[in-house]
C-alpha cells in the first residue's frame, strides 16, 4: 500500500508516511486506494479480540510492517488499558449505544492511537534506516498532548515536545501534562488558543529554516497529531470492533447499517469512521457534533468553510477548534481526489481564512454525514438528564455528541419516511477528566478544586475513579514555561540543546 499527498507532490510507503508525519508540500498523506474488508473477514473478526481485529484492519494499510509483530505491539499497547476490553460498547435503556474509548493511560480516546503510534514510528525508522533522533512536535487542545507524552515517554530515539494553549485546557488536563514523567519530554504553554498552537507547529514543519536548524542538531521532525496517518489508522479499528460487538451480542444482524455520532474537533475521529465505511463497513450516517465553535455545522449547511468568526472557550476544550486539519483529507475525496483543487482550497484557507466547495461536492458530503451543534446550556442539560434517566455519567465532549444524536433521532422520528438505524455515540473522555464541568452539569454546583470535583462525582455516581487521575494528585509539577506564539521555535531550540 502506498500513500499520496492530498496536494499531489509525493508517493510514499506506510513507514515513510508515519515517520514523515506530513508531506513536504504541506499536504496530508492518504492511502492510494481504500483497502476492502470482505464479508468473510468481517465474519472472522467476530471471533477475535480487540488487538486481533485491529491488526486485521491496520495491516491492510501497513502491509510493509510484519503482521505478527504488529499484532504483538497492539496487544502490548492495549494491555495498558483498564479492564479486558479497550473499547467496550455499552447499551443504554433507550436503545442507544455508547462506545467507551477512554479506558487508556490518559483517560481520553487519543490513547487508542497514541499507545500504538510509537511502535509504528520506531519500526518505521528501523525499516527506513533512519539513524537520527526523532523530534515529535505536538499542538494540543489538551488530550493529544498528554496521550503523546505518555505514549512516547522514554521511548528510544525519540523526543517529544508539546504545546498547549495556556488558557484553553481544563485544570486537570494542565495538571496531567505538567506532571509528566520521562527524560525525553517537554511541555510548553502558549499564550493564545489551540489554532495559534497548531499554526505555530505547522509553521515549524513547513519552514525550510526551522527544518534545517532541527536537522543540524541531528533530529528528524515528525508529528503525533491526527495529521499523521499512523495516528488516524488505529482509530479506524474501533468502528469495526463496535460493529462486531453489535453483531456478536445479537443487537443487529451482519450487514445491517449502523450510524455513529462523534464529538468532533480536528476531524480525526470522525474521518476514521468515514474510512471504515469506505473499507466496506456498513456505516450509515456519521453525525459530526460540534460545540459552540460550530464552524463545521455551518460548512455542512452552506458549503463554505469560514474561519473568520469568534473563537469561544467552552467546557469541551478538545473541540474548541476553528481549523480542523483532517477536513483536508475529506475535501480531497469530495473533489474526486483532485490534488490541484485541494491545494488551491488550502491556499485560500491560509490566505483568506475561507474556502467553498461546489454543489455536487456538498451533496456528497451530506450523503455520508449529518452535522449539528450543541450550546453550552444544552450540553449541560443533556448530561444532567442522561444521568437522571439512565444513571450514566458522561464527560462534556460526549455530552455534545449525545445532544446532537438525540435531536437527530427526534427529527427522524418525526418523519414517517425516514429509516432509523442503531446509533453508537463515541464516548471520548472519562468524566473525571473534566471534573468541575461535569459536576456542574450533574448538580449545578461549582468547585474550584479539581479533586474535590472528582470526589463529589464519585460520591454521586459511584463510578470508579481511574488510576491515572488518582496518580496526578500528589505529583510535583515539572513544566511551567509559558511563551507567546512567536517564541515557540526558540523553545524547541532550547529543548534540543
Ligand atoms: C480530541 C478530542 C475530541 C475531538 O476529536 P477529533 O479527532 O479532534 O475530532 C473529542 N473529545 C475528546 C475528549 C478529545 O480528546
Amino acid at each position: 500500500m502506498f500513500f499520496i499527498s492530498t496536494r499531489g507532490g509525493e508517493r510514499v510507503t506506510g513507514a515513510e508516511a508515519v515517520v514523515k508525519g506530513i508531506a513536504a508540500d504541506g499536504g496530508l498523506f492518504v492511502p492510494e486506494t481504500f483497502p476492502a474488508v470482505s464479508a468473510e473477514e468481517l465474519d472472522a473478526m467476530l471471533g477475535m479480540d480487540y488487538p486481533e481485529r485491529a491488526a486485521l484492519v491496520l495491516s491492510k494499510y501497513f502491509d510493509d510492517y510484519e503482521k505478527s509483530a504488529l499484532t504483538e505491539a497492539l496487544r502490548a499497547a492495549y494491555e495498558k488499558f483498564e479492564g479486558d476490553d479497550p473499547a467496550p460498547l455499552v447499551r443504554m435503556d433507550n436503545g442507544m449505544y455508547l462506545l467507551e474509548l477512554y479506558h487508556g493511560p490518559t483517560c481520553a480516546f487519543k490513547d487508542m492511537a497514541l499507545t500504538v503510534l510509537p511502535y509504528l514510528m520506531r519500526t518505521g525508522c528501523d525499516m527506513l534506516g533512519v539513524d537520527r533522533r526523532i523530534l515529535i512536535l505536538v499542538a494540543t487542545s489538551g488530550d493529544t498532548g498528554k496521550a503523546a507524552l505518555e505514549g512516547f515517554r522514554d521511548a528510544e530515539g525519540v523526543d517529544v515536545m508539546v504545546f498547549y494553549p495556556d488558557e484553553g485546557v481544563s485544570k486537570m488536563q494542565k495538571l496531567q501534562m505538567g506532571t509528566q514523567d520521562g527524560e525525553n519530554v517537554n511541555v510548553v504553554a502558549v499564550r493564545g488558543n489551540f489554532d495559534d498552537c497548531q499554526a505555530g507547529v505547522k509553521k515549524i514543519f513547513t519552514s525550510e529554516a526551522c527544518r534545517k536548524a532541527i536537522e543540524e542538531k541531528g533530529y528528524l521532525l515528525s508529528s503525533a497529531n491526527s495529521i499523521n496517518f499512523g495516528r488516524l489508522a488505529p482509530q479506524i479499528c474501533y468502528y469495526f470492533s463496535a460493529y462486531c460487538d453489535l453483531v456478536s451480542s445479537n443487537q443487529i444482524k451482519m450487514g445491517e447499517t449502523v450510524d455513529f455520532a462523534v464529538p468532533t474537533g480536528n476531524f480525526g475521529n470522525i474521518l476514521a469512521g468515514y474510512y471504515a465505511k469506505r473499507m466496506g463497513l456498513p456505516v450509515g450516517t456519521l453525525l459530526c457534533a460540534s460545540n459552540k465553535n460550530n464552524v463545521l455545522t455551518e460548512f455542512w449547511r452552506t458549503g463554505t468553510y469560514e474561519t473568520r468568526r469568534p473563537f469561544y472557550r467552552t467546557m469541551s476544550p478538545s473541540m474548541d477548534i476553528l481549523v480542523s486539519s483532517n477536513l483536508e483529507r475529506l475535501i480531497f475525496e469530495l473533489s474526486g481526489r483532485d490534488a490541484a483543487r485541494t491545494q488551491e482550497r488550502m491556499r485560500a484557507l491560509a490566505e483568506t481564512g475561507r474556502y467553498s466547495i461546489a454543489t455536487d461536492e456538498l451533496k456528497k458530503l451530506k450523503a455520508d454525514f449529518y452535522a449539528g451543534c450543541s450550546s453550552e446550556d444544552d450540553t449541560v442539560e443533556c448530561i444532567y438528564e442522561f444521568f437522571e434517566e439512565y444513571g450514566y455519567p458522561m464527560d462534556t465532549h460526549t455530552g455534545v455528541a449525545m445532544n446532537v444524536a438525540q435531536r437527530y433521532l427526534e427529527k427522524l422520528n418525526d418523519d414517517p419516511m425516514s429509516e432509523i438505524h442503531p446509533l453508537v455515540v463515541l464516548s471520548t473522555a472519562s468524566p473525571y477528566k473534566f471534573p468541575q464541568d461535569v459536576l456542574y452539569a450533574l448538580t449545578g454546583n461549582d468547585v474550584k478544586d479539581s479533586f474535590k470535583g472528582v470526589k463529589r462525582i464519585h460520591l454521586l455516581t459511584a463510578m470508579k475513579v481511574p488510576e491515572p487521575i488518582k496518580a496526578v494528585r500528589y505529583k510535583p509539577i515539572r513544566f511551567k514555561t509559558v511563551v507567546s506564539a512567536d517564541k515557540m521555535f526558540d523553545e524547541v531550540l532550547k529543548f534540543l540543546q
Side-chain angles (χ1 to χ4, degrees):
M1 168 71 65
F2 283 91
F3 294 81
I4 53 174
S5 164
T6 49
R7 301 189 194 175
E10 252 169 298
R11 184 171 183 266
V12 300
T13 63
E16 285 173 305
V18 171
V19 172
K20 290 185 174 182
I22 186 168
D25 59 8
L28 307 188
F29 288 118
V30 292
E32 205 162 42
T33 55
F34 286 106
V37 171
S38 67
E40 293 74 42
E41 284 173 315
L42 200 53
D43 261 331
M45 253 192 237
L46 295 179
M48 298 179 183
D49 64 9
Y50 192 88
E52 290 164 341
R53 287 173 180 174
L56 192 151
V57 174
L58 274 190
S59 61
K60 302 237 169 215
Y61 290 102
F62 294 111
D63 54 4
D64 48 342
Y65 288 68
E66 210 225 317
K67 190 169 172 195
S68 62
L70 183 61
T71 312
E72 280 324 298
L74 286 160
R75 198 167 288 291
Y78 295 125
E79 238 146 57
K80 298 182 185 138
F81 284 54
E82 282 187 22
D84 308 330
D85 184 353
L89 190 69
V90 184
R91 187 178 190 279
M92 293 293 123
D93 287 343
N94 63 352
M96 276 182 166
Y97 302 89
L98 276 135
L99 179 60
E100 293 181 350
L101 301 172
Y102 59 75
H103 296 291
T106 76
C107 307
F109 91 94
K110 307 292 196 292
D111 291 325
M112 296 300 298
L114 280 163
T115 49
V116 179
L117 186 62
Y119 172 79
L120 294 175
M121 194 150 312
R122 180 72 259 147
T123 309
C125 284
D126 292 347
M127 282 195 281
L128 301 173
V130 173
D131 49 10
R132 273 179 293 166
R133 284 185 78 79
I134 302 280
L135 172 66
I136 295 184
L137 289 188
V138 181
T140 184
S141 51
D143 292 332
T144 294
K146 178 62 188 180
L149 291 164
E150 194 54 36
F152 283 99
R153 164 166 60 96
D154 295 325
E156 205 186 306
V158 183
D159 289 330
V160 186
M161 183 150 183
V162 168
F163 294 98
Y164 73 87
D166 191 34
E167 302 278 305
V169 300
S170 83
K171 278 189 189 170
M172 185 65 85
Q173 288 176 313
K174 204 180 250 197
L175 205 56
Q176 279 187 308
M177 288 188 278
T179 57
Q180 177 64 43
D181 296 322
E183 291 306 311
N184 61 336
V185 300
N186 190 16
V187 181
V188 173
V190 176
R191 285 181 212 102
N193 60 36
F194 171 70
D195 290 304
D196 298 321
C197 288
Q198 179 154 271
V201 166
K202 255 205 160 155
K203 210 159 114 193
I204 296 173
F205 267 97
T206 47
S207 147
E208 201 57 47
C210 292
R211 272 187 174 271
K212 211 162 151 238
I214 288 170
E215 271 169 29
E216 274 166 11
K217 300 228 178 245
Y219 280 84
L220 188 72
L221 199 54
S222 191
S223 153
N225 281 97
S226 52
I227 53 173
N228 191 323
F229 190 77
R231 180 47 213 290
L232 195 67
Q235 298 178 177
I236 302 169
C237 307
Y238 47 73
Y239 288 90
F240 278 91
S241 182
Y243 190 89
C244 290
D245 286 347
L246 284 169
V247 175
S248 348
S249 58
N250 295 318
Q251 303 289 316
I252 61 167
K253 284 199 204 55
M254 184 57 99
E256 208 177 320
T257 303
V258 175
D259 295 340
F260 290 89
V262 188
T264 297
N266 223 353
F267 209 75
N269 199 358
I270 193 165
L271 185 77
Y274 173 78
Y275 274 39
K277 183 172 184 175
R278 295 292 302 264
M279 294 174 78
L281 191 71
V283 175
T285 302
L286 291 155
L287 280 72
C288 173
S290 301
N291 63 24
K292 196 175 173 189
N293 294 296
N294 60 355
V295 52
L296 289 167
T297 321
E298 286 299 297
F299 178 53
W300 257 255
R301 198 173 63 81
T302 63
T304 296
Y305 196 78
E306 174 60 84
T307 61
R308 294 170 306 179
R309 55 188 0 256
F311 176 89
Y312 301 106
R313 278 178 52 203
T314 73
M315 58 191 182
S316 42
S318 300
M319 298 161 71
D320 290 344
I321 293 174
L322 294 183
V323 183
S324 300
S325 306
N326 269 296
L327 199 58
E328 178 169 347
R329 287 189 166 108
L330 184 65
I331 299 304
F332 179 68
E333 300 302 332
L334 294 175
S335 71
R337 301 203 138 203
D338 185 334
R341 231 181 187 188
T342 307
Q343 181 158 35
E344 173 52 30
R345 283 168 180 163
M346 292 306 127
R347 194 192 53 76
L349 181 66
E351 285 171 12
T352 67
R354 66 205 295 264
Y355 64 85
S356 298
I357 56 171
T359 318
D360 63 315
E361 293 172 301
L362 185 59
K363 210 170 140 197
K364 279 195 235 169
L365 186 65
K366 288 181 177 171
D368 287 314
F369 297 88
Y370 165 89
C373 56
S374 179
S375 70
E376 294 289 272
D377 284 351
D378 287 348
T379 302
V380 163
E381 188 75 9
C382 177
I383 294 171
Y384 173 77
E385 286 191 348
F386 210 79
F387 181 66
E388 282 289 291
E389 197 82 21
Y390 309 110
Y392 187 91
M394 283 182 292
D395 100 286
T396 43
H397 302 74
T398 310
V400 169
M402 181 58 77
N403 182 41
V404 169
Q406 284 179 329
R407 280 186 296 127
Y408 172 75
L409 285 181
E410 279 164 22
K411 204 178 73 142
L412 290 192
N413 277 318
D414 286 345
D415 174 3
M417 300 300 286
S418 65
E419 197 185 320
I420 299 184
H421 306 134
L423 178 65
V424 177
V425 177
L426 271 57
S427 183
T428 49
S430 162
Y432 289 113
K433 202 158 181 175
F434 304 92
Q436 280 122 322
D437 290 318
V438 170
L439 184 73
Y440 175 76
L442 294 176
T443 66
N445 292 330
D446 280 316
V447 281
K448 277 224 166 54
D449 181 71
S450 301
F451 291 97
K452 209 175 245 178
V454 167
K455 192 171 167 193
R456 294 211 187 151
I457 295 172
H458 179 66
L459 287 174
L460 185 69
T461 64
M463 184 186 194
K464 189 171 171 288
V465 181
E467 291 304 324
I469 297 286
K470 287 188 201 160
V472 293
R473 184 162 188 183
Y474 300 109
K475 274 188 158 179
I477 296 177
R478 289 178 67 199
F479 302 104
K480 295 177 185 161
T481 310
V482 186
V483 299
S484 57
D486 60 335
K487 293 283 182 293
M488 287 166 65
F489 189 60
D490 297 343
E491 289 302 313
V492 173
L493 291 180
K494 261 193 240 164
F495 179 51
L496 299 186
Q497 281 307 322

